[in-house]
Amino acid sequence: MDLTLKVWRQKNREEKGRLETYKVTGISEHASFLEMLDIMNEQLIKEGTEPVAFDHDCREGICGTCSLYINGEAHGPDRKVTTCQLHMRMFKDGETIYIEPWRSAAMPVIKDLIVDRSSFDRIQQSGGFVSVNTSGNTQDANALPIPKMNADKAFDAAACIGCGACVATCKNSSAMLFVAAKVSQFAYLPQGKVEAKQRVLNMVEQMDIEGFGNCTNTGACEVECPKSISIEYIAKMNREFLSASCSSES
Amino acid sequence: MSNGLSDSSVGRKVLMALSGFFLLFFLMQHFVINLFSVISADLFNEISHFMGTNGLIQFVLQPILIFGFLFHLAMGMYLERKNSAARPIKYAMDKPSENSNWMSRNMLITGIMVMLFLALHFYDFWFPEIKTKFIDGDWSGLHNGEFRYWEELHHKFQDIIRVSIYCVAFIFLALHLSHGFQSAFQSVGFNHNKYTPIIKKLGTLYAIIIPFGFIFIALFHYFTQN
Ligand code: HEM
Ligand code: SF4
Ligand code: FES
C-alpha cells in the first residue's frame, strides 16, 4: 500500500504546531498502524528528519497509551480497538490519512502526537482507589459474598484502560466515561462502598478542575471506547453523585 | 469539596435536565389546550379564559415558567461555552457523524432556533395578552361581547409567512426533543435495561406527536379561514 500521511508536528508545549505531509510506500495491509508509523519514522531518519514522537507501550491493547486521532476518529475507523490493534487493511491503497493527537485543554500536546495525560492520574489520585491495607493479610476472595451481576458490572467498568479516547472523541472533551468507569468499578463492590460518597464527589471535582467539558449524552464515547464501556456507567455515576451530594455525612 | 448541584459539571447537567423536564411538561399541556381550538371554539375559549385569569396560573406558574425558560437558555449557553473551551484546538479532520447523531451535537443550535421562534410567539400572543390585562386592565376576555381567544388565534394563522415560520420552528423543536427527551433521563441518572429502550421510544413519539401536532393545528387554522 502507498499512503499519504498528514501528521501533526509540534516541537514542545509552547510551539503552535502544524500538519506535515509524508509519503510512505510498500506498506503491508497486515501491518499494524503503529508498525506503519515505525516504517515512516525509519524513512524520516534516513532522510535526516526528526522522527515523529508518538506514545505506545504494550502494543496489545492493554496499556492505553497509543492515543491517536486517525482520519477523524479516536483510534481510527475500526471499533473496539486501540491504535496498536488497528490494522492497515482498514485503509485503502493510495488513501490520505490524517494523524492527530488527542485534542483537549486538559490533555495538552507535549510533542508531536504525544499528549500530557496526567489529568487522568490526578483524577485517579483524588479517589480512584480503596484505602485498605492489602499487604500480607489478604482475605479469601469468597469470604465476601458479591452478587454475580454486581461482580460483572464492576468487572466491565474495570476494563477501562484510561486511554482517553472518550475525551478525544467527545465534542465537549468530557471525561465522564472514564470517571464513570473508575467510580463504578468500586461502587458495585462492598470494598468500594465504604468510601463511595467521598470518592465520587472528589473525582468529579477533580475532573472539573482539570477543565474537561460537560457531558451532553451524545454517546460518541461508548462507540469509540476500545473496551466498550457503556454510558450506563455515566448514569450510575450521576446517581452516585446525586445521592452523595444530597446526603454526605462529612 | 464540591457537593453543590450548581458548582459541578454533573450537578449542572441535572439542573439542565430538570428544567428540560419542566419544559416538556409545559409543552404538553400547551399542546393539549391548543388542540381544543381544533375541536371546539367554545371549549377553547373557556379553557383560555381560565388559564388567562386564574390567579395561581398567572401569578405563580407563569413566572416559574418564564424563569424555567430563561434558566434553560442561560444554562445551555453556559455549558456550551465551557464545552467549547474544553477543546481550544479543533481537529483538522473530524468525523463526528461516525459515532453520534446530528441532534445530539446541535442542541444549542436547535434550542436557539426555538428561542427565536419564541420571540415571534411572544410578539403574537403573549405581549398583546399582557398589554390587555395589565396595561389596559381588561380581564374580561371579551371582545364585542364575545370571548376573543379563539378568534385571535384563528386570525393569526391567516398569514402564510407566519404559518411557515411556525412550521419550521416546530421542526427544530422536534430535533431538539428527539435527543433531549431521553437525554434528560440519562442526566438525572436514570438508565435501566428494560425501561431505557421504552423511554427512547417514548421520546421519539413525543418529539413527533407534539411538534407535528402544533404544525397540524397551525395548518388547520390556515386552511379553515373564511
Ligand atoms: C429556549 C430555547 C432553548 C434553548 C436555547 C435550549 C437549549 C438546550 C441545550 C443547549 C441543551 C443541551 C444541554 C446539555 O445537554 O448539556 C438542551 C437540552 C434539553 N432541552 Fe432545551 N433548549 C431550549 C428549549 C427547549 C424546550 C422548549 C424544551 C422542551 C419543551 C427543551 C427541552 C430540553 C430537554 C429535555 C433537554 C435535555 C436535557 C439533558 O440532556 O439533560 N428545550 N436545551
Ligand atoms: S472509558 Fe474507554 S475510551 Fe475512556 S479511557 Fe476508559 S477505555 Fe479509554
Ligand atoms: S500500545 Fe498499549 S494499548 Fe496500544
Side-chain angles (χ1 to χ4, degrees):
Chain A
M1 299 171 87
D2 298 341
L3 302 160
T4 304
L5 307 175
K6 302 253 182 207
V7 186
W8 187 260
R9 303 294 321 249
Q10 183 173 334
K11 270 202 186 65
N12 50 42
R13 263 175 204 272
E14 288 72 34
E15 207 216 15
K16 211 166 154 279
R18 79 234 150 254
L19 280 175
E20 291 278 352
T21 307
Y22 302 117
K23 297 217 180 265
V24 288
T25 51
I27 302 291
S28 159
E29 62 170 15
H30 304 302
S32 79
F33 198 86
L34 295 188
E35 284 163 347
M36 185 276 292
L37 288 181
D38 293 337
I39 295 169
M40 176 195 75
N41 271 344
E42 276 172 27
Q43 204 172 296
L44 291 181
I45 292 169
K46 269 190 209 136
E47 291 167 6
T49 310
E50 197 190 336
V52 176
F54 61 91
D55 246 341
H56 60 99
D57 186 22
C58 71
R59 297 213 176 194
E60 54 179 357
I62 51 173
C63 74
T65 54
C66 53
S67 44
L68 295 178
Y69 211 72
I70 301 161
N71 263 359
E73 285 185 80
H75 295 138
D78 210 352
R79 290 286 173 259
K80 301 180 184 178
V81 295
T82 51
T83 300
C84 58
Q85 297 168 299
L86 177 68
H87 286 86
M88 295 315 292
R89 53 180 166 271
M90 294 300 295
F91 300 88
K92 288 191 292 289
D93 188 28
E95 196 170 337
T96 299
I97 305 177
Y98 281 78
I99 308 170
E100 298 175 76
W102 287 169
R103 293 293 188 199
S104 166
M107 290 184 174
V109 173
I110 306 171
K111 188 176 168 59
D112 294 341
L113 299 169
I114 300 181
V115 296
D116 175 357
R117 53 176 81 238
S118 56
S119 48
F120 267 17
D121 299 340
R122 287 187 293 272
I123 293 174
Q124 280 289 62
Q125 286 153 11
S126 74
F129 50 80
V130 174
S131 319
V132 287
N133 186 359
T134 52
S135 56
N137 53 358
T138 317
Q139 242 186 339
D140 183 83
N142 295 322
L144 268 176
I146 297 168
K148 168 92 167 79
M149 197 192 76
N150 289 13
D152 286 350
K153 291 220 171 205
F155 192 84
D156 284 352
C160 167
I161 54 176
C163 66
C166 43
V167 173
T169 202
C170 173
K171 86 180 209 347
N172 314 313
S173 275
S174 166
M176 290 282 277
L177 195 63
F178 166 75
V179 181
K182 297 302 173 194
V183 164
S184 303
Q185 89 178 65
F186 296 119
Y188 278 112
L189 298 177
Q191 295 91 334
K193 285 225 163 76
V194 184
E195 295 161 298
K197 282 183 180 176
Q198 214 47 48
R199 176 180 304 113
V200 66
L201 294 175
N202 289 348
M203 289 181 85
V204 167
E205 183 184 25
Q206 191 62 35
M207 169 176 85
D208 293 347
I209 290 172
E210 298 293 344
F212 292 101
N214 304 276
C215 176
T216 53
N217 303 325
T218 68
C221 52
E222 70 174 359
V223 176
E224 298 291 347
C225 173
K227 300 299 161 188
S228 305
I229 308 289
S230 158
I231 58 171
E232 83 175 62
Y233 289 106
I234 295 184
K236 166 78 176 165
M237 174 168 76
N238 291 351
R239 292 198 293 278
E240 290 283 318
F241 181 87
L242 265 181
S243 90
S245 53
C246 295
S247 65
S248 190
E249 277 114 26
S250 64
Chain B
M1 189 198 72
S2 97
N3 64 359
L5 279 178
S6 58
D7 67 354
S8 75
S9 54
V10 177
R12 287 191 204 99
K13 275 299 311 218
V14 170
L15 294 178
M16 191 74 201
L18 293 180
S19 66
F21 277 131
F22 174 68
L23 293 179
L24 285 172
F25 183 75
F26 158 73
L27 196 70
M28 181 131 96
Q29 65 83 24
H30 196 327
F31 172 69
V32 172
I33 292 176
N34 281 22
L35 207 52
F36 280 107
S37 76
V38 169
I39 301 165
S40 149
D42 288 341
L43 253 178
F44 178 75
N45 277 331
E46 298 269 337
I47 300 170
S48 299
H49 189 65
F50 170 76
M51 296 294 286
T53 51
N54 181 284
L56 183 69
I57 292 171
Q58 283 298 304
F59 297 106
V60 181
L61 295 185
Q62 181 159 276
I64 293 178
L65 175 64
I66 293 168
F67 174 77
F69 258 111
L70 292 179
F71 179 86
H72 191 76
L73 174 74
M75 189 61 109
M77 306 252 253
Y78 176 78
L79 290 176
E80 202 67 25
R81 232 195 43 223
K82 286 208 126 191
N83 291 346
S84 71
R87 175 162 299 141
I89 305 169
K90 310 288 177 233
Y91 293 106
M93 169 62 83
D94 203 4
K95 293 185 187 152
S97 57
E98 293 290 328
N99 48 42
S100 59
N101 65 40
W102 189 91
M103 287 78 83
S104 71
R105 282 181 271 118
N106 291 282
M107 290 298 275
L108 188 66
I109 292 174
T110 51
I112 284 177
M113 294 309 284
V114 173
M115 199 67 194
L116 288 180
F117 156 81
L118 279 176
L120 173 70
H121 191 58
F122 272 35
Y123 171 80
D124 275 355
F125 295 105
W126 199 68
F127 291 138
E129 204 54 40
I130 294 293
K131 180 179 175 297
T132 310
K133 282 190 290 218
F134 291 92
I135 298 175
D136 303 344
D138 175 7
W139 288 74
S140 70
L142 301 174
H143 181 72
N144 293 340
E146 285 185 43
F147 270 142
R148 57 187 167 79
Y149 307 103
W150 191 87
E151 271 307 322
E152 283 176 358
L153 176 84
H154 192 65
H155 185 72
K156 285 282 182 227
F157 288 117
Q158 65 182 212
D159 177 4
I160 182 67
I161 295 175
R162 176 173 280 116
V163 172
S164 308
I165 295 176
Y166 269 69
C167 292
V168 172
F170 278 114
I171 288 171
F172 278 108
L173 184 64
L175 294 171
H176 194 75
L177 299 182
S178 71
H179 175 71
F181 189 100
Q182 53 86 29
S183 171
F185 284 87
Q186 168 83 3
S187 293
V188 296
F190 191 101
N191 188 311
H192 190 282
N193 286 346
K194 206 157 73 202
Y195 301 126
T196 295
I198 298 174
I199 284 168
K200 287 190 173 166
K201 287 204 187 83
L202 273 179
T204 308
L205 274 181
Y206 186 106
I208 293 172
I209 292 176
I210 307 267
F212 287 92
F214 274 112
I215 290 179
F216 162 76
I217 294 169
L219 291 177
F220 173 85
H221 287 284
Y222 178 72
F223 285 112
T224 54
Q225 298 286 331
N226 38 36

